[in-house]
Amino acid sequence: MNIKKLKFYHFRNYDKASFSFEKNAVHVLQGKNAQGKTNIVEGIYFLSLLRSFRTNKTVNMIRHGQSSFVIEAEVETKGRVEELKAAVSGTKKQLFRFNDPVARYSEFVGTVNAVLFCPDDMTLFSDSPAARRKFIDMELIKLSRSYTATLSHYQKLLKERNQALKQPCPDQTLIGIYTKQMIADQKIIIRQRAAFVKELMEKAQKLYPFFSGGEEKIDAIYETFAKEEDTETAMEKMYAKTLERDIQYKNTQLGIHKDDFLFLLNGMPVVQIASQGQKRSALLSLKLGLAQIIYEKDGQYPILLLDDVFSELDQDRRKKLIEMLPHEMQIFITSAEPIPKDWFDRPVKFYEIENGTVKEETHERTEE
Ligand SMILES: Nc1ncnc2c1ncn2[C@@H]1O[C@H](COP(=O)(O)OP(=O)(O)OP(=O)(O)O)[C@@H](O)[C@H]1O
Ligand SMILES: [Mg+2]
């Protein structure tokens, strides 16, 4: 998938900006700090998911002194061209496809499929389990509609079960009914989470050595309360054991809402032993692994957004990263340091970003 044209109106520090991008090319957005490089990445990400990776408040993205912003794009996906437009004022979003209003977010979200690497992702390993669950869930939600449906059904049941536990005299029959239904959902979710983590790690393990140049192996253990092969009856017994505690705490103690994913480097927790560079390499392997999974499922690569990916990577690893990026993928890289042109053996475009203005510097094409 490729973005061919992108326009910003009153978005962040851009008043009015227009970009044209190349199919399957690398786009290097360079410039000093605080000039608007990440803002471009954020704009593309917003078009993909209708939210930012930097703020929960869309109003923060409106250019100071203005009351709304618009992002427009011409996108090529699976041989088709799409024209997308998102207009945001306050908390209100208006969406358009070929200038026709789009009623539902779900009909808009995902038209642009993007995989993002940003410096904040580095906290994935040290964050709470909830952050790691969110990471896995977000990707599974994008990949599988049935996963989304099962997960939200489970979450609804969990809320109802917790509600029942909060009653002065909890109705154990009702709680039992919820438990049974939750177990049915969880059998599916556990299977899907386990399969996804296995697939992701298989891909990441192949990619990681390209970065590290060494023998280290990354892995992840999916930690959940039950084994995949546990029967529903076995799981019911686990719930029966914790029921007293659940009633005492007025909260469900057991379930996939407590799951965690333990990332390992050479069998040791990444968070305990990995250097910054190793963490970055591990994350990049995960992100590129993800792009490959999407490619295999979707038949096309997502757009890859690499924000500030080069800090903490030495020259060697920077070069290697560029070398290993699939050629059939459109890529955006922000960098405050210039990247040498001769690192690329593929189409690359350089943009100089200065205070919300863009200068297309050079346009290099090398034969493949
Ligand atoms: N809503 C807004 N309206 C106007 N300007 C804004 C808005 N939000 C952010 N900015 C400005 O955008 C700039 C930051 O842009 P951005 O985060 O893209 O920088 P960057 O080029 O990626 O820098 P770095 O190299 O430090 O990552 C800052 O100057 C900031 O003041
Ligand atoms: Mg930035």
Side-chain angles (χ1 to χ4, degrees):
M1 107 147 20
N2 284 274
I3 298 188
K4 298 171 83 173
K5 291 194 180 118
L6 180 70
K7 283 183 184 164
F8 290 161
Y9 301 96
H10 301 161
F11 180 71
R12 292 281 191 189
N13 65 341
Y14 291 89
D15 187 46
K16 209 171 164 207
S18 181
F19 311 84
S20 59
F21 302 130
E22 289 267 320
K23 186 174 177 171
N24 296 346
V26 180
H27 301 80
V28 180
L29 314 170
Q30 54 191 26
K32 296 200 179 107
N33 293 139
Q35 299 304 308
K37 303 182 295 293
T38 303
N39 293 345
I40 298 175
V41 168
E42 186 182 35
I44 297 173
Y45 186 89
F46 184 82
L47 216 49
S48 164
L49 292 174
L50 293 177
R51 54 184 201 83
S52 166
F53 55 92
R54 298 205 286 189
T55 173
N56 289 327
K57 294 198 179 107
T58 41
V59 58
N60 289 345
M61 291 181 280
I62 301 172
R63 185 166 158 84
H64 298 150
Q66 302 292 341
S67 54
S68 59
F69 75 76
V70 178
I71 302 178
E72 269 183 64
E74 191 183 306
V75 177
E76 187 215 75
T77 170
K78 296 183 180 167
R80 280 194 334 266
V81 172
E82 291 270 8
E83 273 178 37
L84 302 174
K85 182 158 118 182
V88 174
S89 48
T91 52
K92 196 164 155 252
K93 297 185 188 92
Q94 285 176 292
L95 310 172
F96 304 87
R97 171 171 270 150
F98 292 108
N99 278 323
D100 288 334
V102 175
R104 289 175 196 212
Y105 284 13
S106 60
E107 287 168 27
F108 190 94
V109 165
T111 311
V112 173
N113 194 350
V115 168
L116 165 79
F117 171 93
C118 69
D120 278 354
D121 288 341
M122 291 284 284
T123 57
L124 179 74
F125 305 114
S126 53
D127 261 345
S128 65
R132 283 182 291 277
R133 280 197 302 276
K134 191 173 163 205
F135 168 70
I136 299 288
D137 279 345
M138 285 271 297
E139 300 313 328
L140 270 165
I141 284 168
K142 280 196 267 173
L143 288 164
S144 159
R145 260 177 212 278
S146 74
Y147 183 83
T148 316
T150 317
L151 187 64
S152 49
H153 188 245
Y154 172 81
Q155 277 159 347
K156 190 171 144 266
L157 290 168
L158 175 65
K159 223 167 153 188
E160 285 169 349
R161 190 178 189 272
N162 285 342
Q163 211 62 51
L165 286 166
K166 284 183 179 62
Q167 300 309 310
C169 241
D171 179 344
Q172 297 208 8
T173 319
L174 183 65
I175 292 170
I177 294 169
Y178 290 140
T179 309
K180 250 184 161 17
Q181 292 184 46
M182 281 162 75
I183 287 172
D185 285 342
Q186 291 183 100
K187 282 204 68 82
I188 300 168
I189 294 166
I190 291 173
R191 190 165 10 92
Q192 283 189 281
R193 282 185 178 173
F196 175 71
V197 170
K198 185 166 173 272
E199 193 181 356
L200 183 61
M201 294 322 291
E202 276 169 11
K203 303 258 188 265
Q205 277 162 5
K206 287 198 188 114
L207 293 161
Y208 188 84
F210 285 101
F211 290 111
S212 74
E215 295 290 297
E216 307 116 69
K217 186 182 173 200
I218 56 160
D219 212 341
I221 297 173
Y222 171 31
E223 295 179 327
T224 186
F225 72 102
K227 289 192 207 68
E228 238 185 299
E229 60 274 15
D230 280 340
T231 60
E232 306 208 351
T233 323
M235 285 161 92
E236 271 174 46
K237 278 189 191 145
M238 294 178 202
Y239 272 89
K241 263 193 194 158
T242 51
L243 182 61
E244 209 173 303
R245 216 153 43 106
D246 282 356
I247 293 172
Q248 191 189 340
Y249 287 106
K250 302 181 185 306
N251 211 328
T252 305
Q253 306 292 305
L254 210 63
I256 53 103
H257 59 288
K258 304 265 174 170
D259 282 0
D260 198 359
F261 304 88
L262 181 65
F263 289 94
L264 303 171
L265 192 66
N266 283 342
M268 295 282 287
V270 166
V271 65
Q272 285 172 23
I273 64 146
S275 72
Q276 286 300 97
Q278 282 175 322
K279 280 185 202 155
R280 199 160 277 251
S281 302
L283 254 180
L284 280 167
S285 315
L286 289 172
K287 298 284 172 156
L288 287 176
L290 204 55
Q292 278 183 9
I293 293 176
I294 293 169
Y295 175 72
E296 282 165 22
K297 176 135 202 291
D298 219 24
Q300 64 179 4
Y301 275 105
I303 291 162
L304 187 65
L305 305 171
L306 300 174
D307 186 33
D308 228 344
V309 73
F310 287 141
S311 12
E312 280 145 21
L313 285 184
D314 53 41
Q315 286 296 76
D316 213 32
R317 284 182 174 79
R318 290 178 183 174
K319 263 185 169 167
K320 277 183 180 151
L321 169 63
I322 289 175
E323 271 169 33
M324 67 190 287
L325 295 171
H327 282 206
E328 317 89 279
M329 181 153 66
Q330 192 183 42
I331 297 162
F332 296 84
I333 303 179
T334 71
S335 177
E337 291 170 51
I339 305 175
K341 289 185 188 104
D342 61 9
W343 282 12
F344 297 90
D345 63 346
R346 58 185 292 182
V348 56
K349 273 177 111 175
F350 289 87
Y351 299 79
E352 191 62 36
I353 315 295
E354 202 184 309
N355 195 18
T357 60
V358 184
K359 199 169 89 198
E360 201 176 307
E361 247 204 346
T362 48
H363 177 187
E364 290 239 322
R365 256 192 178 282
T366 33
E367 293 307 315
E368 280 173 47

